[in-house]
């Protein structure tokens, strides 16, 4: 057989269903180790345990207003014509009123967010009172427990607050600190190696004179990977040379949890990346193309419980691979569910949309939002940046979908940090 014929055989794509790909990931990819971490350093990690409240929150009945803590039974009959007169207890710290037991006919001044005295069950805001010398006058009744945060009304002791698999956001971190949680078990951040492949690439902006292309996709993917919890341990630019590709991947395969190559995977003659790695590592489990568009040529292999993902380098293909492959795998190795999960809304379609190609694929399509309606933007081709920059989100056409009519509701999703939901009303 000729070398050309053998090479052609290697290039044959067997586009795999995404569900089958996800199943292979579950079977052959290891999750990162579980570590104990100071809560203050846990931002963007994923919880490896459920979190339960260690105590009632609040610990005491707290005031929801600056005012006087009273017994409801003392003020239940108060009115403008017949105000209730209560003796003010002086020399009580308004932030430690729970050191005192309130007697009938008494009132104690308390501050917002601080405990009530024992026996008090209602707070009268100071603006609803009249103070004269040693007495406060209540001119109208309020319901029992008015302006009171009851003990345990936020979280009760032992109540589950967060579930294993939850990514720690700034507000979750704050909540953990407010609950008194000092250390937590989380999944270690996955270590990711990121390589751009191509003789034509330079780590500089595009220069129309020499026609060398910037490694811009690597910067996009680096930011997205870090956003979803990945730790970049190496990034580099590689030539279209099988030996260089194999040497670079081999040098990090022991340390990295995920390896991503960008470029060098295509239907054209420079289809070096997957073929070189397949021949070097001879993996038992791999995939050669996926039923998704753009990025149909996305291929890869599994080695020692790790994913090596080879994706094409064009802009639309890169975003599609991030949405359907890289981010789901990244989330999975951090203990989250293996599926594309993003914020989504339902919107009415403004333009009839018809497709006749790749009907058995998952197809990522950019969407422009117009108030409560939207339009699907024509991709024009994987080379084009403008459809992505025009878009506010994306939709995924599932296998079998050929036509969507005007007025049909579609699922519009947002891949952060690319889509920032600019055109969605906050009210």
């Amino acid at each position: 057989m000729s070398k050309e014929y053998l090479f052609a055989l290697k290039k044959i794509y067997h586009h795999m269903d995404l569900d089958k790909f996800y199943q292979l990931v579950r079977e052959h990819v290891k999750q990162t180790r579980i570590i104990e971490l100071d809560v203050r350093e846990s931002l963007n990690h994923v919880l490896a345990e459920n979190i339960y409240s260690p105590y009632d929150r609040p610990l005491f009945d707290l005031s929801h207003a600056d005012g006087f803590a009273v017994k409801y039974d003392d003020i239940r009959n108060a009115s403008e014509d017949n105000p209730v007169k209560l003796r003010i207890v002086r020399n009580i710290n308004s932030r430690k009123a729970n050191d005192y037991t309130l007697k009938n006919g008494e009132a104690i001044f308390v501050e917002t967010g601080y405990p009530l005295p024992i026996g008090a069950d209602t707070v009268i805001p100071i603006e609803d009172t009249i103070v004269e010398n040693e007495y406060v006058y209540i001119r109208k009744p309020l319901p029992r427990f008015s302006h009171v945060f009851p003990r345990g009304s936020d979280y009760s002791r032992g109540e589950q607050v967060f579930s294993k698999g939850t990514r720690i956001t700034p507000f979750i971190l704050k909540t953990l600190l407010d609950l008194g949680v000092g250390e937590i078990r989380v999944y270690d951040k996955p270590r990711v190696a990121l390589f751009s492949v191509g003789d034509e690439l330079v780590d500089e902006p595009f220069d129309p004179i020499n026609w060398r292309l910037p490694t811009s996709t690597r910067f996009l993917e680096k930011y997205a990977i870090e956003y979803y919890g990945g730790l970049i341990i190496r990034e580099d630019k590689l030539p279209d040379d099988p030996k260089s590709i194999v040497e670079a991947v081999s040098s990090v395969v022991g340390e990295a949890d995920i390896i991503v190559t960008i470029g060098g995977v295509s239907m054209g003659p420079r289809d070096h990346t997957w073929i070189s790695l397949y021949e070097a590592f001879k993996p038992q489990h791999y995939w050669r193309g996926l039923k998704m568009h753009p990025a149909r040529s996305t291929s890869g292999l599994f080695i020692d419980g790790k994913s090596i993902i080879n994706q094409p380098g064009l802009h639309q293909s890169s975003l599609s691979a991030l949405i359907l492959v890289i981010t789901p795998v990244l989330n999975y190795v951090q203990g989250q569910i293996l599926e594309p999960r993003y914020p989504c809304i339902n919107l009415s379609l403004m333009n009839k949309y018809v497709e006749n190609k790749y009907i058995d694929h998952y197809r990522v399509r950019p969407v422009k939002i117009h108030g409560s309606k939207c339009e699907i933007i024509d991709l024009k081709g994987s080379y084009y940046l403008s459809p992505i920059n025009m878009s506010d989100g994306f939709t995924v056409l599932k296998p079998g979908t050929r036509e969507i009519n005007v007025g049909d509701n579609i699922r519009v999703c947002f891949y952060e940090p690319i889509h920032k939901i600019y055109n969605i009303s906050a009210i």
Side-chain angles (χ1 to χ4, degrees):
M1 295 184 185
S2 68
K3 290 183 179 180
E4 290 77 11
Y5 179 75
L6 290 173
F7 182 72
L9 287 179
K10 295 174 186 175
K11 284 181 60 61
I12 293 175
Y13 281 81
H14 306 279
H15 295 95
M16 181 182 289
D17 290 332
L18 277 178
D19 290 341
K20 173 63 175 176
F21 167 71
Y22 294 148
Q23 186 58 37
L24 283 178
V25 173
R26 293 186 189 98
E27 293 172 357
H28 304 296
V29 173
K30 297 177 183 177
Q31 295 181 325
T32 58
R33 62 178 183 151
I34 294 173
I35 60 174
E36 286 195 0
L37 204 60
D38 187 310
V39 165
R40 293 167 294 185
E41 300 173 356
S42 67
L43 184 65
N44 211 24
H45 282 78
V46 174
L47 286 171
E49 61 181 342
N50 295 332
I51 299 295
Y52 301 89
S53 180
Y55 51 78
D56 290 336
R57 187 177 193 279
L59 275 173
F60 310 96
D61 292 343
L62 301 183
S63 176
H64 192 199
D66 290 343
F68 287 93
V70 301
K71 293 186 175 184
Y72 169 75
D73 288 339
D74 283 344
I75 58 99
R76 62 190 303 174
N77 296 317
S79 67
E80 291 285 348
D81 296 332
N82 189 27
V84 169
K85 176 183 176 182
L86 301 176
R87 185 177 67 84
I88 300 174
V89 181
R90 304 290 188 182
N91 300 321
I92 299 295
N93 188 330
S94 59
R95 295 188 173 188
K96 294 184 178 180
N98 58 317
D99 290 339
Y100 182 82
T101 299
L102 193 69
K103 301 179 181 64
N104 293 336
E106 291 183 335
I108 289 180
F109 179 76
V110 291
E111 296 184 42
T112 301
Y114 289 92
L116 273 59
I118 297 170
D121 57 12
T122 304
V123 174
I124 311 298
I126 194 167
E127 60 267 24
D128 293 335
T129 67
I130 296 175
V131 176
E132 292 184 358
N133 299 321
E134 300 302 313
Y135 295 94
V136 58
Y137 293 85
I138 313 299
R139 298 172 295 178
K140 62 180 180 180
L142 291 178
R144 194 189 301 270
F145 306 121
S146 290
H147 303 290
V148 174
F149 296 128
R151 174 175 178 162
S153 58
D154 194 10
Y155 295 109
S156 58
R157 181 179 180 182
E159 179 181 350
Q160 183 171 326
V161 182
F162 299 114
S163 300
K164 176 182 176 181
T166 299
R167 188 174 297 280
I168 299 173
T169 64
F171 200 83
I172 290 176
L173 189 153
K174 169 187 165 47
T175 300
L176 293 170
L177 291 171
D178 287 340
L179 289 173
V181 177
E183 288 194 347
I184 51 173
R185 287 160 52 83
V186 298
Y187 290 92
D188 202 2
K189 288 195 172 187
R191 292 161 172 77
V192 182
L194 192 57
F195 298 106
S196 301
V197 179
D199 292 336
E200 75 282 10
L201 299 175
V202 291
D203 287 328
E204 299 171 2
F206 175 67
D207 182 351
I209 295 177
N210 61 32
W211 197 252
R212 303 290 292 278
L213 300 179
T215 54
S216 56
T217 301
R218 193 175 82 233
F219 288 90
L220 163 67
E221 302 222 354
K222 175 184 177 181
Y223 186 74
I225 288 167
E226 290 175 338
Y227 186 90
Y228 287 97
L231 179 66
I232 303 294
I233 60 168
R234 182 177 168 188
E235 54 176 316
D236 207 347
K237 174 175 62 68
L238 306 176
D240 284 314
D241 172 56
K243 181 179 178 182
S244 298
I245 294 169
V246 171
E247 287 179 351
V249 171
S250 298
S251 70
V252 295
V253 75
E255 183 182 0
D257 299 298
I258 300 172
I259 300 171
V260 178
T261 65
I262 305 166
V265 179
S266 71
M267 303 304 293
R270 294 180 184 270
D271 187 30
H272 299 298
T273 305
W274 184 87
I275 295 172
S276 302
L277 295 173
Y278 176 81
E279 292 182 339
F281 291 104
K282 297 178 174 57
Q284 184 177 358
H285 303 285
Y286 57 87
W287 73 97
R288 183 65 162 143
L290 292 172
K291 287 186 178 180
M292 65 182 197
H293 184 267
R296 297 177 66 237
S297 58
T298 299
S299 304
L301 37 141
F302 303 107
I303 300 175
D304 298 330
K306 304 173 181 185
S307 298
I308 300 178
I309 301 169
N310 314 128
Q311 65 161 79
L314 286 174
H315 331 291
Q316 295 178 15
S317 296
S318 176
L319 183 56
S320 182
L322 280 169
I323 290 171
L324 295 180
V325 177
I326 295 172
T327 304
V329 172
L330 194 63
N331 287 336
Y332 174 73
V333 299
Q334 297 174 84
Q336 295 191 308
I337 294 175
L338 179 60
E339 60 182 35
R341 281 193 164 192
Y342 307 105
C344 300
I345 57 174
N346 291 322
L347 294 176
S348 175
L349 188 64
M350 297 172 60
N351 60 321
K352 184 173 182 177
Y353 191 79
V354 179
E355 282 199 358
N356 295 309
K357 293 183 67 176
Y358 310 120
I359 302 303
D360 61 343
H361 288 37
Y362 284 88
R363 288 149 288 161
V364 178
R365 299 295 181 257
V367 172
K368 181 72 175 174
I369 295 173
H370 304 274
S372 62
K373 298 183 178 181
C374 67
E375 62 175 315
I376 298 177
I377 300 171
D378 183 7
L379 285 175
K380 297 196 287 187
S382 293
Y383 168 82
Y384 287 92
L385 294 166
S386 53
I388 306 303
N389 287 321
M390 291 170 58
S391 70
D392 301 303
F394 69 92
T395 193
V396 177
L397 306 184
K398 294 184 178 180
T401 302
R402 292 180 179 270
E403 180 178 302
I404 310 175
N405 293 311
V406 174
D408 287 351
N409 277 342
I410 66 170
R411 196 78 169 150
V412 179
C413 302
F414 309 96
Y415 182 76
E416 295 182 331
I418 306 302
H419 304 113
K420 289 298 185 181
I421 323 180
Y422 292 120
N423 290 337
I424 302 297
S425 173
I427 300 176

